[in-house]
C-alpha cells in the first residue's frame, strides 16, 4: 500500500508516554493503528447518535433487558459447545 508522510503536532507529555509504550521504529505503526481504530469506531458512534435522535436514548430498563438477553444467549451458547 502506498504511504504518505504527514506532520502531526502532539503535546510533549503525550509523546513521552507514547515513546515509552512503543519500541524504536514502531511509532508510526502505532499511530496508524490508532487512526484505523478511530475510523472503524466513528461510524458506529455516528449511527448510535442517529438512533438516539430518532428513538431516544436507552433507558435503564432497556439496558437491563439487553444484559438479561446477553446472559441468556451466552448460557445457551456455552451449553451447545462440546466439553
Amino acid at each position: 500500500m502506498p504511504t504518505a508522510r504527514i506532520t502531526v503536532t502532539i503535546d510533549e507529555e503525550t509523546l513521552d508516554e507514547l515513546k515509552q509504550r512503543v519500541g524504536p521504529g514502531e511509532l508510526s505503526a502505532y499511530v496508524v493503528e490508532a487512526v484505523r481504530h478511530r475510523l472503524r469506531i466513528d461510524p458506529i458512534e455516528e449511527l448510535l447518535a442517529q438512533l438516539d435522535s430518532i428513538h431516544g436514548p436507552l433507558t435503564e430498563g432497556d439496558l437491563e433487558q439487553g444484559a438479561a438477553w446477553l446472559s441468556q444467549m451466552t448460557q445457551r451458547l456455552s451449553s451447545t459447545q462440546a466439553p
Side-chain angles (χ1 to χ4, degrees):
M1 172 184 329
T3 61
R5 181 176 289 265
I6 64 169
T7 300
V8 176
T9 303
I10 188 170
D11 63 89
E12 288 186 26
E13 183 180 328
T14 302
L15 180 59
D16 290 342
E17 186 177 345
L18 181 59
K19 285 180 177 178
Q20 290 175 9
R21 187 166 296 272
V22 300
E26 297 177 16
L27 184 67
S28 290
Y30 191 92
V31 171
V32 167
E33 181 55 32
V35 170
R36 285 183 180 150
H37 176 74
R38 282 304 317 183
L39 290 172
R40 288 189 300 269
I41 295 299
D42 287 350
I44 296 168
E45 290 179 347
E46 291 164 6
L47 174 61
L48 291 173
Q50 288 176 354
L51 291 171
D52 279 352
S53 71
I54 294 169
H55 301 288
L58 294 173
T59 65
E60 281 298 317
D62 294 332
L63 295 173
E64 289 170 5
Q65 187 178 10
W69 178 86
L70 179 60
S71 177
Q72 290 173 352
M73 293 304 108
T74 302
Q75 288 174 355
R76 187 180 291 176
L77 179 62
S78 66
S79 69
T80 61
Q81 293 177 340

